[in-house]
Amino acid sequence: LLCIQLAISARLMRKAKEDHVPVMRSGMEVNIGGAFRTVDVEVSPMSGPGEEEHYLVVFLNEGGANGRSSLPGTIALPETADAKDRRILLLEREVRDVRDQMRVLSEEAETNTEHLQSAHEEMLSSNEELQSMNEELETSKEELQSTNEELITINEELVQRHAELKESRDYAEGIIGTMATPLVVLNAQLRVRRANPAFYQAFRTNKEEVEGVLVHEIGNHRWDVEGLRRRLMEVLQHGVEMKGFEVKHTYPADEEHTFLVSARRIDHLGPQQRLLVTMEDVTDGRRSSDALQRLAAIVTGSRDAILSLDLEGKVLTWNLGAERMFGWSAKDMTGGTLDPILPAERKGEVKQLIARTVAGEQVELFETERMHKDGHRVQVSLTVSPLRTADGSIVGISQIERDITAA
């Protein structure tokens, strides 16, 4: 009976907690001093400090002791009812209450079961979602691994490209550094970015005096030549190549040199455009060319026959003086021997002259005879000189033949 009472009291407390209102139960039997009494129980929730829960439990005499009236739901027993009948009624009441409580508990259990079933289904759904997420993560892991492999491959290619670019740059630097032609790189403002050693040597300057300086201000404005700046800007802006722009450069000692300036735009640098400019010194070539032209004029205008032969005795050159003296044109004689102008008794004379010259003998004013195309003989005086290459080797002879017939 005590357990049933405690269960009923606990249920009343739970009911008061859920509804937040006082709850009363009538007709509860309690043991007081060894005697059973029927009382009414009222449970009220109370607000206390903190989060701890408190309840006020009031026990009242059945039928309203101390002036209280009988509470609703109280079953009054006849005065004549003996203790057994009272006990039976109380037990029936308790059984009824327990049944109600069990029904409520059963309903709560069903509700909890439904909640658990729903939670189980949610857990299954969550598990499926987690499994799907795990599969996605595995897929992402494979994709990341594939991406990582691609990045490794790209990095290796970049490293290789960097090595190739460095090799190409070193190769280009080596070519520029060893070039005998002065070379300079200009930026979009025509300022010198760099120059090669040949440039510094040719213009007798150094890196500190040149780099960062406008090209027309180098060497106290010696490159401020009319038309050069305009041509360089055309190359820079329109990409047209400039070749062989002639510039006269005067050194401090009044020594004038002639340079052929060529320029080309470097397009692969994007907005940071550059100009590659070369300056070829043609002074010596021009001097040699002028000397050769003067010599050619002398040879061409000479009244003497001037001709050259290789070591086999074949004619290499034949001037106008030879044409007038012997009647044979250069076209007739070039590539052939001197047999058409040699008398029969002097056919071996040319080989002897070649041999004497190769042996180092000076042949001067050697008098002999030649045959004119029309058949008459011409008395000549020969001077023979060796033809040498740049290394001093003799590759032929030259002959100057003067007509001494009249003499």
Side-chain angles (χ1 to χ4, degrees), residues 295-308 317-331 333-334 372 399 401:
L295 180 60
I298 293 172
V299 171
T300 301
S302 176
R303 296 181 62 84
D304 295 334
I306 301 176
L307 54 104
S308 60
T317 60
W318 186 269
N319 75 337
L320 288 175
E323 290 186 12
R324 288 191 293 266
M325 188 177 296
F326 304 120
W328 298 93
S329 68
K331 183 179 180 181
M333 298 299 295
T334 302
H372 193 276
Q399 293 183 182
E401 302 187 9

Side-chain angles (χ1 to χ4, degrees), residues 13 16-17 43-57:
M13 290 182 183
K17 177 182 179 181
V43 179
S44 300
M46 297 182 65
S47 299
E51 298 181 355
E52 187 177 355
E53 297 176 348
H54 296 81
Y55 299 91
L56 175 63
V57 182

